[in-house]
PDB file of all heavy atoms in Angstrom:
ATOM      1  N   PHE P 316      21.755   2.341  21.536  1.00 96.00           N
ATOM      2  CA  PHE P 316      20.567   2.812  20.812  1.00 96.00           C
ATOM      3  C   PHE P 316      19.342   2.091  21.359  1.00 96.00           C
ATOM      4  O   PHE P 316      19.477   1.027  21.955  1.00 96.00           O
ATOM      5  CB  PHE P 316      20.720   2.589  19.296  1.00 96.00           C
ATOM      6  CG  PHE P 316      21.021   1.171  18.914  1.00 96.00           C
ATOM      7  CD1 PHE P 316      19.991   0.280  18.590  1.00 96.00           C
ATOM      8  CD2 PHE P 316      22.336   0.687  18.879  1.00 96.00           C
ATOM      9  CE1 PHE P 316      20.254  -1.026  18.234  1.00 96.00           C
ATOM     10  CE2 PHE P 316      22.595  -0.613  18.519  1.00 96.00           C
ATOM     11  CZ  PHE P 316      21.561  -1.480  18.203  1.00 96.00           C
ATOM     12  N   PRO P 317      18.139   2.685  21.163  1.00 96.00           N
ATOM     13  CA  PRO P 317      17.892   4.084  20.785  1.00 96.00           C
ATOM     14  C   PRO P 317      18.267   5.009  21.944  1.00 96.00           C
ATOM     15  O   PRO P 317      18.237   4.598  23.096  1.00 96.00           O
ATOM     16  CB  PRO P 317      16.402   4.119  20.495  1.00 96.00           C
ATOM     17  CG  PRO P 317      15.820   2.986  21.281  1.00 96.00           C
ATOM     18  CD  PRO P 317      16.893   1.929  21.369  1.00 96.00           C
ATOM     19  N   VAL P 318      18.599   6.217  21.628  1.00 96.00           N
ATOM     20  CA  VAL P 318      19.058   7.175  22.650  1.00 96.00           C
ATOM     21  C   VAL P 318      17.979   7.417  23.714  1.00 96.00           C
ATOM     22  O   VAL P 318      18.280   7.492  24.898  1.00 96.00           O
ATOM     23  CB  VAL P 318      19.491   8.511  22.008  1.00 96.00           C
ATOM     24  CG1 VAL P 318      19.767   9.569  23.062  1.00 96.00           C
ATOM     25  CG2 VAL P 318      20.712   8.311  21.138  1.00 96.00           C
ATOM     26  N   GLU P 319      16.719   7.511  23.269  1.00 94.00           N
ATOM     27  CA  GLU P 319      15.632   7.851  24.182  1.00 94.00           C
ATOM     28  C   GLU P 319      15.436   6.796  25.280  1.00 94.00           C
ATOM     29  O   GLU P 319      15.065   7.135  26.405  1.00 94.00           O
ATOM     30  CB  GLU P 319      14.316   8.031  23.423  1.00 94.00           C
ATOM     31  CG  GLU P 319      14.369   9.052  22.321  1.00 94.00           C
ATOM     32  CD  GLU P 319      15.095   8.569  21.048  1.00 94.00           C
ATOM     33  OE1 GLU P 319      15.182   7.351  20.793  1.00 94.00           O
ATOM     34  OE2 GLU P 319      15.596   9.442  20.328  1.00 94.00           O
ATOM     35  N   ASN P 320      15.630   5.559  24.947  1.00 94.00           N
ATOM     36  CA  ASN P 320      15.440   4.466  25.897  1.00 94.00           C
ATOM     37  C   ASN P 320      16.391   3.325  25.486  1.00 94.00           C
ATOM     38  O   ASN P 320      15.972   2.363  24.858  1.00 94.00           O
ATOM     39  CB  ASN P 320      13.982   4.007  25.885  1.00 94.00           C
ATOM     40  CG  ASN P 320      13.698   3.012  26.984  1.00 94.00           C
ATOM     41  OD1 ASN P 320      14.419   2.934  27.976  1.00 94.00           O
ATOM     42  ND2 ASN P 320      12.647   2.234  26.827  1.00 94.00           N
ATOM     43  N   PRO P 321      17.681   3.461  25.822  1.00 94.00           N
ATOM     44  CA  PRO P 321      18.674   2.508  25.311  1.00 94.00           C
ATOM     45  C   PRO P 321      18.341   1.059  25.670  1.00 94.00           C
ATOM     46  O   PRO P 321      18.029   0.726  26.797  1.00 94.00           O
ATOM     47  CB  PRO P 321      19.965   2.940  26.017  1.00 94.00           C
ATOM     48  CG  PRO P 321      19.743   4.389  26.320  1.00 94.00           C
ATOM     49  CD  PRO P 321      18.283   4.509  26.654  1.00 94.00           C
ATOM     50  N   ALA P 322      18.384   0.224  24.640  1.00 92.00           N
ATOM     51  CA  ALA P 322      18.105  -1.204  24.793  1.00 92.00           C
ATOM     52  C   ALA P 322      19.278  -2.049  24.348  1.00 92.00           C
ATOM     53  O   ALA P 322      19.381  -3.214  24.718  1.00 92.00           O
ATOM     54  CB  ALA P 322      16.853  -1.590  24.005  1.00 92.00           C
ATOM     55  N   TYR P 323      20.175  -1.489  23.512  1.00 94.00           N
ATOM     56  CA  TYR P 323      21.298  -2.241  22.956  1.00 94.00           C
ATOM     57  C   TYR P 323      22.577  -1.442  23.106  1.00 94.00           C
ATOM     58  O   TYR P 323      22.581  -0.240  22.856  1.00 94.00           O
ATOM     59  CB  TYR P 323      21.062  -2.546  21.475  1.00 94.00           C
ATOM     60  CG  TYR P 323      19.808  -3.321  21.224  1.00 94.00           C
ATOM     61  CD1 TYR P 323      18.619  -2.679  20.904  1.00 94.00           C
ATOM     62  CD2 TYR P 323      19.816  -4.708  21.314  1.00 94.00           C
ATOM     63  CE1 TYR P 323      17.455  -3.396  20.692  1.00 94.00           C
ATOM     64  CE2 TYR P 323      18.648  -5.437  21.098  1.00 94.00           C
ATOM     65  CZ  TYR P 323      17.473  -4.784  20.792  1.00 94.00           C
ATOM     66  OH  TYR P 323      16.328  -5.478  20.589  1.00 94.00           O
ATOM     67  N   ILE P 324      23.632  -2.123  23.471  1.00 95.00           N
ATOM     68  CA  ILE P 324      24.970  -1.533  23.519  1.00 95.00           C
ATOM     69  C   ILE P 324      25.874  -2.418  22.686  1.00 95.00           C
ATOM     70  O   ILE P 324      25.857  -3.644  22.852  1.00 95.00           O
ATOM     71  CB  ILE P 324      25.496  -1.429  24.956  1.00 95.00           C
ATOM     72  CG1 ILE P 324      24.537  -0.606  25.805  1.00 95.00           C
ATOM     73  CG2 ILE P 324      26.904  -0.806  24.973  1.00 95.00           C
ATOM     74  CD1 ILE P 324      24.772  -0.719  27.272  1.00 95.00           C
ATOM     75  N   VAL P 325      26.646  -1.813  21.793  1.00 96.00           N
ATOM     76  CA  VAL P 325      27.482  -2.577  20.859  1.00 96.00           C
ATOM     77  C   VAL P 325      28.906  -2.046  20.881  1.00 96.00           C
ATOM     78  O   VAL P 325      29.108  -0.829  20.828  1.00 96.00           O
ATOM     79  CB  VAL P 325      26.916  -2.490  19.418  1.00 96.00           C
ATOM     80  CG1 VAL P 325      27.839  -3.172  18.424  1.00 96.00           C
ATOM     81  CG2 VAL P 325      25.511  -3.059  19.343  1.00 96.00           C
ATOM     82  N   VAL P 326      29.858  -2.949  20.948  1.00 95.00           N
ATOM     83  CA  VAL P 326      31.280  -2.598  20.776  1.00 95.00           C
ATOM     84  C   VAL P 326      31.750  -3.239  19.485  1.00 95.00           C
ATOM     85  O   VAL P 326      31.586  -4.441  19.305  1.00 95.00           O
ATOM     86  CB  VAL P 326      32.146  -3.104  21.947  1.00 95.00           C
ATOM     87  CG1 VAL P 326      33.628  -2.832  21.688  1.00 95.00           C
ATOM     88  CG2 VAL P 326      31.732  -2.516  23.267  1.00 95.00           C
ATOM     89  N   VAL P 327      32.308  -2.420  18.599  1.00 95.00           N
ATOM     90  CA  VAL P 327      32.923  -2.932  17.378  1.00 95.00           C
ATOM     91  C   VAL P 327      34.425  -2.672  17.525  1.00 95.00           C
ATOM     92  O   VAL P 327      34.838  -1.559  17.819  1.00 95.00           O
ATOM     93  CB  VAL P 327      32.372  -2.210  16.124  1.00 95.00           C
ATOM     94  CG1 VAL P 327      33.049  -2.756  14.872  1.00 95.00           C
ATOM     95  CG2 VAL P 327      30.857  -2.365  16.045  1.00 95.00           C
ATOM     96  N   PHE P 328      35.216  -3.707  17.332  1.00 90.00           N
ATOM     97  CA  PHE P 328      36.646  -3.635  17.594  1.00 90.00           C
ATOM     98  C   PHE P 328      37.413  -4.195  16.403  1.00 90.00           C
ATOM     99  O   PHE P 328      37.051  -5.246  15.861  1.00 90.00           O
ATOM    100  CB  PHE P 328      36.976  -4.448  18.851  1.00 90.00           C
ATOM    101  CG  PHE P 328      38.415  -4.489  19.208  1.00 90.00           C
ATOM    102  CD1 PHE P 328      38.986  -3.442  19.914  1.00 90.00           C
ATOM    103  CD2 PHE P 328      39.205  -5.569  18.856  1.00 90.00           C
ATOM    104  CE1 PHE P 328      40.333  -3.479  20.262  1.00 90.00           C
ATOM    105  CE2 PHE P 328      40.551  -5.598  19.197  1.00 90.00           C
ATOM    106  CZ  PHE P 328      41.104  -4.538  19.897  1.00 90.00           C
ATOM    107  N   SER P 329      38.452  -3.493  15.946  1.00 87.00           N
ATOM    108  CA  SER P 329      39.297  -3.954  14.866  1.00 87.00           C
ATOM    109  C   SER P 329      40.732  -4.015  15.357  1.00 87.00           C
ATOM    110  O   SER P 329      41.272  -3.012  15.820  1.00 87.00           O
ATOM    111  CB  SER P 329      39.194  -2.979  13.694  1.00 87.00           C
ATOM    112  OG  SER P 329      40.131  -3.316  12.701  1.00 87.00           O
ATOM    113  N   GLU P 330      41.340  -5.179  15.249  1.00 83.00           N
ATOM    114  CA  GLU P 330      42.705  -5.346  15.746  1.00 83.00           C
ATOM    115  C   GLU P 330      43.754  -4.607  14.926  1.00 83.00           C
ATOM    116  O   GLU P 330      44.805  -4.295  15.457  1.00 83.00           O
ATOM    117  CB  GLU P 330      43.063  -6.831  15.797  1.00 83.00           C
ATOM    118  CG  GLU P 330      42.361  -7.555  16.912  1.00 83.00           C
ATOM    119  CD  GLU P 330      42.842  -8.978  17.065  1.00 83.00           C
ATOM    120  OE1 GLU P 330      42.746  -9.726  16.074  1.00 83.00           O
ATOM    121  OE2 GLU P 330      43.304  -9.325  18.147  1.00 83.00           O
ATOM    122  N   ASN P 331      43.507  -4.343  13.676  1.00 79.00           N
ATOM    123  CA  ASN P 331      44.498  -3.662  12.843  1.00 79.00           C
ATOM    124  C   ASN P 331      43.746  -2.766  11.868  1.00 79.00           C
ATOM    125  O   ASN P 331      43.240  -3.237  10.856  1.00 79.00           O
ATOM    126  CB  ASN P 331      45.372  -4.684  12.114  1.00 79.00           C
ATOM    127  CG  ASN P 331      46.494  -4.031  11.354  1.00 79.00           C
ATOM    128  OD1 ASN P 331      46.505  -2.818  11.111  1.00 79.00           O
ATOM    129  ND2 ASN P 331      47.476  -4.826  10.960  1.00 79.00           N
ATOM    130  N   THR P 332      43.714  -1.469  12.143  1.00 77.00           N
ATOM    131  CA  THR P 332      42.924  -0.547  11.328  1.00 77.00           C
ATOM    132  C   THR P 332      43.422  -0.470   9.890  1.00 77.00           C
ATOM    133  O   THR P 332      42.651  -0.138   8.991  1.00 77.00           O
ATOM    134  CB  THR P 332      42.915   0.867  11.944  1.00 77.00           C
ATOM    135  OG1 THR P 332      44.249   1.327  12.096  1.00 77.00           O
ATOM    136  CG2 THR P 332      42.198   0.870  13.276  1.00 77.00           C
ATOM    137  N   ARG P 333      44.669  -0.778   9.627  1.00 74.00           N
ATOM    138  CA  ARG P 333      45.176  -0.727   8.253  1.00 74.00           C
ATOM    139  C   ARG P 333      44.573  -1.824   7.393  1.00 74.00           C
ATOM    140  O   ARG P 333      44.583  -1.737   6.179  1.00 74.00           O
ATOM    141  CB  ARG P 333      46.702  -0.828   8.249  1.00 74.00           C
ATOM    142  CG  ARG P 333      47.367   0.379   8.909  1.00 74.00           C
ATOM    143  CD  ARG P 333      48.880   0.291   8.899  1.00 74.00           C
ATOM    144  NE  ARG P 333      49.444   0.150   7.564  1.00 74.00           N
ATOM    145  CZ  ARG P 333      49.668   1.137   6.699  1.00 74.00           C
ATOM    146  NH1 ARG P 333      49.360   2.356   7.041  1.00 74.00           N
ATOM    147  NH2 ARG P 333      50.209   0.912   5.533  1.00 74.00           N
ATOM    148  N   ARG P 334      44.029  -2.862   8.025  1.00 75.00           N
ATOM    149  CA  ARG P 334      43.433  -3.968   7.271  1.00 75.00           C
ATOM    150  C   ARG P 334      41.918  -3.862   7.166  1.00 75.00           C
ATOM    151  O   ARG P 334      41.288  -4.737   6.593  1.00 75.00           O
ATOM    152  CB  ARG P 334      43.810  -5.292   7.923  1.00 75.00           C
ATOM    153  CG  ARG P 334      45.270  -5.625   7.802  1.00 75.00           C
ATOM    154  CD  ARG P 334      45.511  -7.010   8.302  1.00 75.00           C
ATOM    155  NE  ARG P 334      46.879  -7.398   8.012  1.00 75.00           N
ATOM    156  CZ  ARG P 334      47.402  -8.532   8.379  1.00 75.00           C
ATOM    157  NH1 ARG P 334      46.690  -9.414   9.044  1.00 75.00           N
ATOM    158  NH2 ARG P 334      48.657  -8.814   8.070  1.00 75.00           N
TER     159      ARG P 334
END
Side-chain angles (χ1 to χ4, degrees):
F316 55 92
V318 171
E319 303 77 24
N320 188 20
Y323 302 95
I324 302 166
V325 175
V326 175
V327 179
F328 179 82
S329 173
E330 287 186 302
N331 185 344
T332 56
R333 294 181 57 82
R334 291 188 172 177

